[in-house]
């Protein structure tokens, strides 16, 4: 089953791994984290995720920012809210930390419009190119993924150790 261009919540466990703000991974306190997922072949156990934020500060900060930096932020309508894809903050998340799909009327939300998908991917590719050239420095994607892999490895070792200790 493809997760491509669907919106998901992030599992709480992800936030307990480290202080993600030091890696510029956007974290909203007391608010579920929504991400748009994009599959890329180079990370089979990971998914590229674009954080989603609502423009709920009444003064249109995100709208203004999306007009000022249109390659980095993409407006998107989710339900009746103006939301924004924070493309510059895209990072890789391990599939184990993908939570429940975001649903509207019990139907998982998915961007099906091919024109909109193309606009988003064009911006993703531009941000990718700027990151590779060292022109911009946002989320260190590989480092964020490595931290998750190390956490999962340590977690499995601890689980095996606990199983062995419980049987002795």
């Amino acid at each position: 089953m493809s997760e491509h261009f669907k919106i998901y919540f992030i599992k709480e466990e992800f936030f307990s791994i480290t202080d993600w703000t030091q890696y510029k991974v956007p974290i909203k306190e007391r608010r579920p984290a929504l991400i748009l997922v994009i599959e890329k072949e180079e990370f089979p156990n990971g998914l590229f995720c674009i954080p989603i934020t609502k423009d709920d500060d009444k003064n249109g900060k995100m709208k203004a920012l999306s007009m000022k930096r249109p390659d980095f932020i993409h407006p998107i309508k989710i339900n009746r809210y103006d939301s924004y894809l924070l493309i510059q903050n895209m990072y890789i998340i391990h599939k184990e930390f993908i939570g429940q799909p975001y649903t509207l009327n019990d139907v998982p939300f998915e961007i099906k419009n091919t024109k909109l998908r193309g606009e988003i991917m064009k911006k993703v590719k531009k941000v990718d190119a700027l990151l590779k050239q060292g022109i911009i420095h946002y989320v260190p994607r590989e480092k964020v993924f490595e931290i998750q892999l190390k956490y999962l490895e340590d977690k499995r070792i601890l689980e095996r150790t606990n199983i062995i200790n419980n049987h002795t």
Side-chain angles (χ1 to χ4, degrees), residues 7 9 11 13-16 21 33 40 56 62 67 77-78 91 95 99 104 113 115 117 123 125 151 154 162 165:
I7 295 179
F9 291 96
K11 289 182 180 176
E13 183 181 10
F14 174 81
F15 302 106
S16 69
T21 57
K40 290 192 175 187
D56 57 0
M62 293 309 299
M67 292 188 310
K77 271 281 194 218
I78 300 176
Y91 57 96
K95 289 181 178 183
L104 292 173
N113 181 304
K115 183 180 180 217
R117 283 181 171 204
K123 291 179 180 186
K125 289 175 183 172
Y151 169 83
D154 291 348
N162 287 340
N165 288 340

Side-chain angles (χ1 to χ4, degrees), residues 44-148:
N45 290 326
L47 297 165
F48 279 74
C49 62
I50 302 173
I52 300 172
T53 189
K54 279 192 332 190
D55 205 355
D56 57 0
D57 59 6
K58 304 290 188 254
N59 65 6
K61 176 181 147 190
M62 293 309 299
K63 183 176 184 176
L65 198 54
S66 73
M67 292 188 310
K68 180 180 175 187
R69 313 250 6 215
D71 292 329
F72 295 179
I73 299 173
H74 191 85
I76 184 171
K77 271 281 194 218
I78 300 176
N79 206 350
R80 64 184 183 275
Y81 301 104
D82 289 332
S83 297
Y84 296 86
L85 299 174
L86 304 177
I87 295 171
Q88 82 276 4
N89 293 103
M90 184 169 71
Y91 57 96
I92 308 163
I93 189 166
H94 196 281
K95 289 181 178 183
E96 283 198 34
F97 299 116
I98 298 292
Q100 295 296 316
Y102 176 76
T103 61
L104 292 173
N105 301 321
D106 295 324
V107 176
F109 189 90
E110 178 179 5
I111 297 175
K112 294 180 181 178
N113 181 304
T114 54
K115 183 180 180 217
L116 180 56
R117 283 181 171 204
E119 290 171 4
I120 293 167
M121 286 309 295
K122 183 178 179 183
K123 291 179 180 186
V124 165
K125 289 175 183 172
K126 184 164 187 176
V127 168
D128 283 350
L130 293 171
L131 284 167
K132 286 178 185 163
Q133 295 169 14
I135 295 172
I136 60 172
H137 305 281
Y138 282 98
V139 178
R141 297 174 185 170
E142 287 80 12
K143 179 71 176 164
V144 168
F145 194 61
E146 288 170 11
I147 291 168
Q148 295 170 67

